[in-house]
């Protein structure tokens, strides 16, 4: 089944975010460190570039991602113009000083008041990050998408204000592979997915890319070739039996997705980082002087000219 989740409240939240963007100095986009590409919202990117806002990418839930892969993603984001990247995770909390330093670096050094907005897909950890930065529990958090319903603004210091916003997706999830990764991470409400489909997708990539994680977690010496056989074997091991002795697909799917979401299968990053963007050094200007160029003058221009 195709995955798409764009309910009315998200449409409204996107409209409010687009309006807020005009008064924002820096965007803090929270990404899932296990899937920084799938969790990057193209609508946010559009809003940012329309208003020329710099962005700090926070690779969140880094405690669940492969540290080497996260470092590669940080290099990539740091190489993008008008962009910075920071790691955050349960085992590696980013500091408010570091975050504000990066924000300040991106906006320049003028002395005035600044607004930053925390945004990103649902359930990625935006409100948890805001509470962490504020040093107290101001926003409601929870392990399900769409917990935050409205924007909330807090004062961090005399200069910086910070907005928390509801998680937003976009109207059409064109890349269904990426949509399935988002569903695996828990960014899409359970009622908008077929749990078994998503678990089968997870079983497929785990069998292909992380077979040792499956063997270790489920005590399997060898793995079957395909997802259905694997799920059947796992169901047998975990006692997931249906009414008539068949497999309880929902229960076994829940076990696999829960284990992936909680990091019980290890720190698994599903997307490799692109190479950092190489900025071409400016060529020395050795072109000849234009023939009719005016003589250089040391005289200051009059303010009235
Ligand atoms: N493992 C891990 N879990 C995290 C981290 N940050 C947040 N979480 C968990 O992720 C879940 C979602 O956190 P929230 O802060 O409510 O996420 P949100 O992005 O504000 O979600 P919405 O408001 O629904 O869009 C909660 O169960 C958090 O405890 C992290 O760095 N590591
Ligand atoms: Mg929230």
């Amino acid at each position: 089944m195709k995955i798409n989740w764009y309910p009315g409240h998200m449409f409204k939240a996107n409209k409010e975010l687009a309006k807020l963007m005009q008064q924002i100095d820096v965007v803090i986009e929270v990404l899932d460190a296990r899937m920084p590409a799938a969790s990057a919202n193209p609508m946010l990117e559009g809003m940012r570039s329309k208003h020329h806002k710099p962005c700090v990418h926070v690779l969140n839930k880094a405690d669940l991602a492969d540290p080497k892969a996260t470092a590669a993603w940080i290099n990539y984001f740091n190489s993008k113009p008008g962009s910075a990247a920071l790691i955050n995770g349960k085992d590696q909390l980013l500091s408010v000083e570091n975050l504000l330093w990066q924000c300040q670096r991106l906006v320049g050094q003028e002395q005035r008041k600044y607004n930053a907005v925390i945004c990103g897909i649902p359930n990625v950890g935006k409100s948890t990050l805001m509470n962490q930065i504020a040093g107290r529990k101001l926003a409601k958090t929870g392990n399900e998408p769409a917990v935050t319903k409205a924007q909330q603004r807090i004062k961090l210091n005399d200069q910086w204000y910070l907005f928390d916003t509801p998680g937003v997706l976009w109207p059409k999830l064109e890349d269904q592979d990426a949509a399935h990764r988002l569903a695996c991470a828990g960014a899409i409400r359970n009622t908008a997915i077929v749990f078994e489909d998503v678990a089968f997708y997870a079983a497929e990539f785990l069998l292909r890319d992380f077979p040792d994680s499956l063997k270790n977690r489920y005590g399997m010496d060898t793995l079957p070739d395909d997802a259905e056989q694997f799920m059947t074997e796992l169901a047998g091991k975990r006692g997931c039996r249906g009414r008539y002795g068949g497999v309880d697909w929902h229960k076994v799917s829940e076990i696999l997705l829960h284990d992936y979401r909680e990091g019980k299968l290890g720190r698994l990053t599903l997307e490799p980082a692109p190479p950092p963007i190489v900025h071409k050094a400016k060529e020395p200007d050795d072109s000849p002087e234009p023939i009719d160029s005016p003589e250089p003058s040391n005289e200051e221009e009059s303010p009235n000219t």
Side-chain angles (χ1 to χ4, degrees), residues 200 203-204 207 223-231:
F200 266 66
E204 271 165 15
L207 282 168
L223 291 171
D225 291 333
D226 71 36
E228 186 172 344
Q229 286 174 41
F230 166 74
M231 295 296 273

Side-chain angles (χ1 to χ4, degrees), residues 105-122:
R105 190 176 68 78
L106 289 172
V107 295
Q109 293 297 326
E110 293 166 51
Q111 289 298 311
R112 61 177 182 92
K113 301 213 182 301
Y114 296 105
N115 286 310
V117 62
I118 299 185
C119 49
I121 60 162

Side-chain angles (χ1 to χ4, degrees), residues 192-214:
I193 59 174
V194 177
F195 225 66
E196 291 82 339
D197 280 0
V198 177
F200 266 66
Y201 175 86
E204 271 165 15
F205 73 68
L206 290 164
L207 282 168
R208 187 186 62 227
D209 300 332
F210 306 103
D212 290 343
S213 301
L214 291 179

Side-chain angles (χ1 to χ4, degrees), residues 87-231:
I87 297 176
N88 190 55
K90 279 188 176 165
D91 57 349
Q92 202 178 348
L93 300 179
L94 68 74
S95 70
V96 60
E97 292 78 18
N98 198 3
L99 179 69
L100 289 186
W101 186 84
Q102 291 289 358
C103 290
Q104 192 70 59
R105 190 176 68 78
L106 289 172
V107 295
Q109 293 297 326
E110 293 166 51
Q111 289 298 311
R112 61 177 182 92
K113 301 213 182 301
Y114 296 105
N115 286 310
V117 62
I118 299 185
C119 49
I121 60 162
N123 202 27
V124 72
K126 299 175 296 298
S127 302
T128 306
L129 180 66
M130 171 149 123
N131 290 340
Q132 180 185 321
I133 292 168
R136 60 211 152 109
K137 192 166 171 12
L138 295 169
K140 191 176 162 199
T141 63
N143 197 7
E144 55 176 322
V147 169
T148 303
K149 304 281 189 234
Q151 294 176 356
Q152 185 180 358
R153 183 181 189 241
I154 60 162
K155 183 178 177 178
L156 288 181
N157 57 30
D158 287 343
Q159 244 187 332
W160 282 94
Y161 289 82
L162 184 65
F163 286 85
D164 182 26
T165 59
V168 281
L169 292 168
W170 48 104
K172 194 157 182 232
L173 300 173
E174 303 277 2
D175 180 346
Q176 280 294 304
D177 250 351
H180 278 77
R181 289 198 286 281
L182 291 178
C184 287
I188 298 178
R189 188 169 267 169
N190 282 347
T191 50
I193 59 174
V194 177
F195 225 66
E196 291 82 339
D197 280 0
V198 177
F200 266 66
Y201 175 86
E204 271 165 15
F205 73 68
L206 290 164
L207 282 168
R208 187 186 62 227
D209 300 332
F210 306 103
D212 290 343
S213 301
L214 291 179
K215 285 183 189 167
N216 290 341
R217 174 71 184 161
Y218 302 120
M220 296 176 178
D221 294 333
T222 53
L223 291 171
D225 291 333
D226 71 36
E228 186 172 344
Q229 286 174 41
F230 166 74
M231 295 296 273

Side-chain angles (χ1 to χ4, degrees), residues 230-293:
F230 166 74
M231 295 296 273
T232 307
E233 206 171 303
L234 180 59
K237 276 184 172 285
R238 295 297 175 97
C240 305
R241 277 218 186 83
R243 261 215 214 144
Y244 305 105
V247 172
D248 184 339
W249 295 110
H250 190 80
K251 199 166 167 198
V252 69
S253 298
E254 259 181 357
I255 289 176
L256 188 68
L257 286 182
H258 175 269
D259 282 358
Y260 171 70
R261 288 176 182 175
E262 296 300 310
K264 304 271 192 235
L265 293 160
R267 301 176 68 158
L268 312 180
T269 299
L270 308 188
E271 300 169 340
I277 297 164
V278 179
H279 300 279
K280 266 197 172 169
K282 233 184 145 196
E283 300 273 321
D285 189 6
D286 52 4
S287 53
E289 284 277 304
I291 292 164
D292 58 351
S293 67

